[in-house]
Amino acid sequence: MVGQREAPPKSRRASVPLKTFFARVVRTAQISPLMRRITIGEGDMAEFVSAGPDQFITLIFPRPGQERPAITRDLHWEAFRAMPDDIRPHARNYTVRRHRPERAEVDVDFVIHG
């Protein structure tokens, strides 16, 4: 007879609101044929605090026809995932290339595909 332990029950972390910043693209620069640097600023970016090298942020883009994404400041991932497909904005993770707190800006590099 082989004994097998039961796996401990998985615990779910409490849902924590995401720190949400509303901002705009303030500049773009083509830094190579397939790479564009996007500078994000204005809005709430004066409140952004860098967590250091290799920090990632989730950029949430409005859907076509939306002026801004259909989210609120108290956004939780569970609520985001539960949004209907035709309303839920597109979201992607990116690494912060540079943070300039004195200008309330961050740079993010985008690879241009096809």
Side-chain angles (χ1 to χ4, degrees):
M1 178 178 192
V2 176
Q4 182 180 12
R5 282 184 170 168
E6 275 190 27
K10 290 185 180 182
S11 64
R12 290 188 54 93
R13 295 188 320 172
S15 180
V16 176
L18 303 171
K19 180 68 176 168
T20 305
F21 304 92
F22 290 98
R24 295 190 176 276
V25 172
V26 295
R27 256 184 331 281
T28 66
Q30 196 72 33
I31 57 176
S32 77
L34 296 176
M35 183 80 64
R36 182 169 292 159
R37 180 159 295 149
I38 308 295
T39 301
I40 301 164
E42 297 180 1
D44 302 323
M45 291 307 291
E47 301 170 27
F48 182 84
V49 177
S50 176
D54 296 331
Q55 177 180 1
F56 79 89
I57 58 175
T58 302
L59 296 181
I60 301 175
F61 303 96
R63 294 186 70 86
Q66 294 177 336
E67 169 130 351
R68 61 192 271 178
I71 61 170
T72 60
R73 289 196 186 284
D74 59 347
L75 178 68
H76 292 256
W77 279 121
E78 290 80 8
F80 181 83
R81 286 190 290 271
M83 294 174 85
D85 289 341
D86 61 333
I87 295 173
R88 184 177 50 243
H90 300 287
R92 299 288 182 272
N93 293 332
Y94 292 92
T95 302
V96 173
R97 172 75 173 133
R98 184 171 294 120
H99 176 224
R100 286 184 299 288
E102 71 283 359
R103 295 185 69 174
E105 294 178 346
V106 296
D107 292 336
V108 177
D109 292 346
F110 286 70
V111 174
I112 308 301
H113 298 278

